[in-house]
Amino acid sequence: MPAFDRITESHFLPAFDFAIERQRAEVEAIAANPDPPTFQNTMESLERSGLLLERVHTVFLTLCSAHTNPRLQQIEAQVAPLLAAHRDSIFLDRRLFVRVDDLHRRLSDLNLDPESEWLLKRYHTDFVRAGIGLSGPDADRLRTLNAELAVRYATFSRRLLEEANELSVLVTDRDQLDGLPEDGVNAAAEAARSGGHEGAYLIALTLPTAQPALTYLHDRALRERIHRASTERGARGNDNDTTDLVREIVRLRAERAWLLGYDSHADYQIEDCTARTVANARGMLESVVPAAVANARAEETALQAVVDADGGGFRLEAWDWSYYAERVRRDRYAVDEGELRPYLELERVLSDGVFYAAERLYGLTFQERHDVPVYHPDVRVFEVFDADRTPLGLFLADFYARPSKRGGAWMTSLVAQSRLLGTRPVVINTHNISQPPPGEPTLLTLFELKTVFHEFGHALHGLFSDVRFPRFAGTQVPQDFVEYPSQVNEMWMFWPEVLANYARHYRTGEPMPREMVDRLHAAARFNEGYRTTEYLSASLLDLAWHTLGADDRIADVRAFEAEVLEKAGFSLRTVPPRYRTTYFEHIFSGDHYSAGYYSYIWSEVLDADTVRWFEENGGLERANGDRFRQEVLSRGGTADAMSFFRSLRGRDPEILPLLERRGLRATTG
């Protein structure tokens, strides 16, 4: 664990300078080595280089995303172009590439083990994709583009965080919160108090368009106010406006792709994923659009009928959907999320749900530790032990929202597992759950419940990593494969044995009534048209931005967005994209998810098929967990990712389980 109790902001710039210089010296020794290249003196040496820089950077990014401040944001803006230039200095070093290329050409004669052979292939690909074939002005321009993009990514994240905090909705009249569960009211009061608004209530914005409070609030005007605050992020013409950044990022990415020989940034990104081509990724999305939109239209009709029956006298709007969807679900399935939440208390969900499923499947045990320094008092540390009681790694949980944390939920590896380096994994799950006042329970929504299981699936991917080279550790797999293990882990939240173990009333300890469980299962596909449509629209919007050419110019971001959605068949004004362009942090705060938001549903094809495999083989059984661990979770990025699925399933994935899960089979055929 990093010594978070001794690290201060003033340490980072000197640490970055020192670590960059150290790796430069390490790489220079490899590139200038007079001895002929061998796997050991070139590839293994590259894997051993930059360890200090990786550690400094990981700690820094953890703080920047989970507990930032103005000084860290300033440092981030300074460091981003330095790191981009440093990476270019390695992957555009022709002396280094000559050594790697020599080994790559002699690959069949080197007698390498499969992981070492894959490492050599991946490094060769990394050099080619980084632009090693460019020279002169083109290589200089590439370096400039990478540096400019790095600065803009950091700026986008900073502006969005500041914008979200600024647009948090302050409520002074308690009556306006009628319908919001009591713990939600208490959390809003605590957030207001922490922000200096004693006696008021603060509704903080979560990252997606749809805000959780809209499910409960009876006050339609307040619902509209919250929704408009959500959708206005980054598009208000103030200092935190992101429209200029979006245009610049898209233009710079397109130019970089052109320099590297690709028609678009999406072509460049997806080539190195399991989808391989933009046509494949877009084809998957578009094949689901008609059925999803048809389902959403039917859902909209049902919601409008409730409005009319109430004598509402208004046309359903986006800020009404969640509220009336909850009404319909309650009436049709007798499922009331407010009724469910007392059975979804965070501590029980974690220990008796998430950890319990991991123990049953994989033999893991967890011991909380209080002697480990953390970066915020809310962060909890658990030592994880394997089935034979040997230490496996550390799992950190950072559950609660705060103004210093960016939105959403994610997993990070603070330390990556590697047999070459002798390191064991340290992973973090970061969430944005509203924190109740001291002494009050944390009751989860169904979405938050799903997210806790989902992110722990990523954590297992990191914890179970069993690779030699750090380049392949844990979740370092293609972007459209990385969500696969995490989505599989979601299945256990409603698995009968697991649900019965954690779903107990936080006051009485009584288990969730059987009839409530049955109603919950019956409502599993409810509102799926909405959920699928909001996701697909965001995914196609991502591809639209990133299939623009280097000469394309977009004058009006919102007009372009509207045109793309209309052309794709998303004409429902009541179902906005999960993320609109100006706050689409996944794709504009870095390269990782850019042109890759499609990966969630792409991975879900694998996930749904694997869930069926678990069901066919008895579900929550150690033999199944051990097999999934062996074939998928432990492998990291050590081979072609799809080979892991085929090893597990014995064939290529089938789409039918996904369509059935989302209730799309009949329409799609």
Side-chain angles (χ1 to χ4, degrees):
M1 276 287 290
F4 283 113
D5 56 336
R6 294 189 287 127
I7 296 171
T8 68
E9 292 92 338
S10 64
H11 292 143
F12 280 111
L13 283 176
F16 273 118
D17 288 341
F18 185 85
I20 287 172
E21 286 304 316
R22 173 174 285 188
Q23 188 176 23
R24 280 178 180 158
E26 293 165 342
V27 171
E28 177 62 26
I30 301 168
N33 189 343
D35 295 334
T38 66
F39 186 84
Q40 288 71 29
N41 70 20
T42 302
M43 306 316 304
E44 282 195 3
S45 295
L46 277 172
E47 280 293 272
R48 293 180 185 277
S49 75
L51 300 182
L52 180 61
L53 179 58
E54 176 67 21
R55 185 166 178 80
V56 172
H57 193 206
T58 300
V59 172
F60 181 69
L61 288 181
T62 298
L63 292 175
C64 286
S65 59
H67 193 39
T68 193
N69 58 49
R71 180 59 184 139
L72 284 175
Q73 291 171 338
Q74 291 172 359
I75 296 170
E76 188 176 19
Q78 289 176 261
V79 166
L82 298 180
L83 291 173
H86 176 61
R87 187 180 189 281
D88 284 343
S89 74
I90 296 172
F91 285 96
L92 297 180
D93 187 326
R94 299 197 64 80
R95 300 169 304 157
L96 196 57
F97 178 68
V98 165
R99 297 181 69 85
V100 174
D101 191 50
D102 176 79
L103 292 170
H104 188 259
R105 285 186 286 104
R106 296 189 289 114
L107 183 60
S108 60
D109 300 326
L110 298 179
N111 195 29
L112 299 175
D113 63 85
E115 184 177 340
S116 297
E117 184 174 311
W118 190 248
L119 182 76
L120 178 52
K121 289 179 179 178
R122 288 306 308 167
Y123 261 100
H124 192 271
T125 298
D126 289 345
F127 273 96
V128 172
R129 286 175 54 79
I132 193 65
L134 300 179
S135 60
D138 286 346
D140 293 339
R141 180 57 182 161
L142 180 64
R143 291 185 177 92
T144 299
L145 290 171
N146 287 334
E148 291 183 1
L149 280 166
V151 171
R152 283 159 177 78
Y153 297 157
T155 304
F156 187 95
S157 291
R158 176 183 57 78
R159 287 188 189 178
L160 184 56
L161 178 61
E162 293 176 1
E163 180 82 337
N165 287 334
E166 188 175 317
L167 282 169
S168 295
V169 177
L170 189 66
V171 178
T172 56
D173 183 354
R174 170 65 176 80
D175 291 342
Q176 284 190 285
L177 300 181
D178 189 28
L180 193 66
E182 193 61 31
D183 65 300
V185 175
N186 293 339
E190 180 68 16
R193 186 195 62 76
S194 299
H197 304 285
E198 194 73 43
Y201 307 86
L202 192 68
I203 308 295
L205 298 179
T206 60
L207 192 58
T209 298
Q211 299 298 310
L214 302 190
T215 302
Y216 309 104
L217 292 169
H218 299 324
D219 190 317
R220 188 169 187 246
L222 180 56
R223 294 202 305 269
E224 179 179 0
R225 185 179 160 203
I226 294 170
H227 176 79
R228 291 195 182 281
S230 175
T231 57
E232 286 172 1
R233 283 174 289 174
R236 297 189 297 151
N238 60 356
D239 289 343
N240 292 324
D241 193 285
T242 62
T243 54
D244 59 332
L245 284 173
V246 166
R247 286 193 293 263
E248 291 168 9
I249 289 170
V250 168
R251 177 180 59 79
L252 294 172
R253 283 173 170 168
E255 183 183 350
R256 182 176 63 183
W258 178 81
L259 269 178
L260 294 170
Y262 295 85
D263 290 336
S264 70
H265 178 70
D267 288 293
Y268 170 77
Q269 290 286 91
I270 296 173
E271 179 195 60
D272 206 35
C273 294
T274 65
R276 302 300 182 203
T277 69
V278 173
N280 288 340
R282 181 181 279 125
M284 157 66 75
L285 298 173
E286 291 178 344
S287 70
V288 184
V289 168
V293 172
N295 285 11
R297 287 191 185 283
E299 292 165 3
E300 181 183 43
T301 299
L303 301 187
Q304 185 65 56
V306 177
V307 173
D308 296 341
D310 282 354
F314 58 83
R315 189 181 181 193
L316 189 82
E317 297 291 349
W319 52 87
D320 300 314
W321 188 292
S322 296
Y323 179 78
Y324 284 96
E326 183 66 12
R327 286 270 306 273
V328 170
R329 181 169 64 173
R330 189 166 61 241
D331 294 343
R332 186 180 298 173
Y333 300 102
V335 171
D336 181 346
E337 187 155 314
E339 184 185 9
L340 290 171
R341 292 179 69 243
Y343 295 92
L344 307 178
E345 191 270 323
L346 175 60
E347 191 60 32
R348 276 195 182 274
V349 167
L350 182 65
S351 61
D352 298 341
V354 173
F355 289 172
Y356 172 75
E359 180 182 1
R360 289 291 306 276
L361 274 171
Y362 309 110
L364 300 186
T365 52
F366 302 81
Q367 179 180 326
E368 187 159 13
R369 294 183 55 170
H370 303 282
D371 60 332
V372 177
V374 291
Y375 55 85
H376 190 277
D378 289 344
V379 179
R380 300 171 66 182
V381 180
F382 298 86
E383 186 161 8
V384 186
F385 296 90
D386 217 332
D388 61 0
R389 293 297 296 167
T390 58
L392 184 64
L394 294 180
F395 169 67
L396 282 64
D398 183 359
F399 287 116
Y400 295 117
R402 50 182 171 266
S404 61
K405 183 191 288 188
R406 70 173 173 86
W410 62 94
M411 170 268 193
T412 305
S413 288
L414 266 178
V415 180
Q417 176 272 331
S418 166
R419 293 197 302 274
L420 178 72
L421 306 178
T423 52
R424 289 186 298 206
V426 178
V427 302
I428 311 175
N429 278 176
T430 310
H431 296 263
N432 269 279
I433 299 167
S434 294
Q435 186 166 21
E440 294 294 319
T442 302
L443 306 182
L444 303 180
T445 65
L446 287 173
F447 177 77
E448 289 166 340
L449 174 70
K450 179 179 179 180
T451 303
V452 170
F453 275 87
H454 175 99
E455 294 303 330
F456 192 72
H458 285 307
L460 289 173
H461 205 176
L463 288 167
F464 283 148
S465 177
D466 185 14
V467 303
R468 176 168 173 74
F469 301 112
R471 168 73 170 74
F472 296 142
T475 57
Q476 296 190 74
V477 296
Q479 186 58 50
D480 55 6
F481 191 86
V482 74
E483 298 298 336
Y484 161 44
S486 56
Q487 288 171 328
V488 169
N489 203 61
E490 295 171 14
M491 73 177 288
W492 306 116
M493 67 178 175
F494 288 152
W495 194 261
E497 289 175 73
V498 180
L499 183 66
N501 202 56
Y502 74 80
R504 293 178 174 272
H505 199 284
Y506 77 96
R507 283 202 182 107
T508 67
E510 290 296 312
M512 183 181 288
R514 181 68 222 179
E515 63 273 15
M516 188 181 291
V517 174
D518 292 340
R519 297 196 306 264
L520 191 59
H521 283 292
R525 293 179 183 172
F526 174 72
N527 210 38
E528 196 59 59
Y530 175 92
R531 285 193 291 265
T532 307
T533 299
E534 65 155 3
Y535 165 76
L536 291 173
S537 56
S539 300
L540 286 167
L541 190 60
D542 171 28
L543 287 182
W545 278 114
H546 291 117
T547 48
L548 292 173
D551 294 328
D552 292 326
R553 295 291 184 269
I554 302 301
D556 187 325
V557 168
R558 285 293 171 92
F560 176 78
E561 180 181 280
E563 180 184 345
V564 168
L565 296 178
E566 182 69 28
K567 184 177 180 181
F570 298 109
S571 54
L572 282 80
R573 75 189 193 295
T574 52
V575 187
R578 183 175 297 175
Y579 302 102
R580 298 193 69 172
T581 299
T582 53
Y583 50 91
F584 207 159
E585 186 165 36
H586 281 75
I587 67 172
F588 291 122
S589 64
D591 280 331
H592 200 49
Y593 272 97
S594 62
Y597 198 65
Y598 77 90
S599 62
Y600 285 92
I601 200 166
W602 187 272
S603 295
E604 195 180 348
V605 174
L606 312 182
D607 150 38
D609 204 344
T610 300
V611 167
R612 180 163 292 183
W613 174 83
F614 270 105
E615 293 169 344
E616 291 169 351
N617 289 278
L620 195 71
E621 300 287 344
R622 268 295 301 278
N624 292 336
D626 289 346
R627 176 87 186 279
F628 190 55
R629 174 179 179 173
Q630 176 185 341
E631 302 294 352
V632 178
L633 297 178
S634 67
R635 304 289 301 279
T638 56
D640 174 67
M642 290 304 295
S643 69
F644 304 151
F645 177 88
R646 295 187 192 101
S647 295
L648 178 76
R649 207 65 172 103
R651 56 166 172 75
D652 286 332
E654 296 176 353
I655 196 173
L656 185 59
L658 168 68
L659 300 179
E660 291 178 340
R661 170 191 287 182
R662 288 183 173 258
L664 302 174
R665 182 182 181 186
T667 307
T668 307

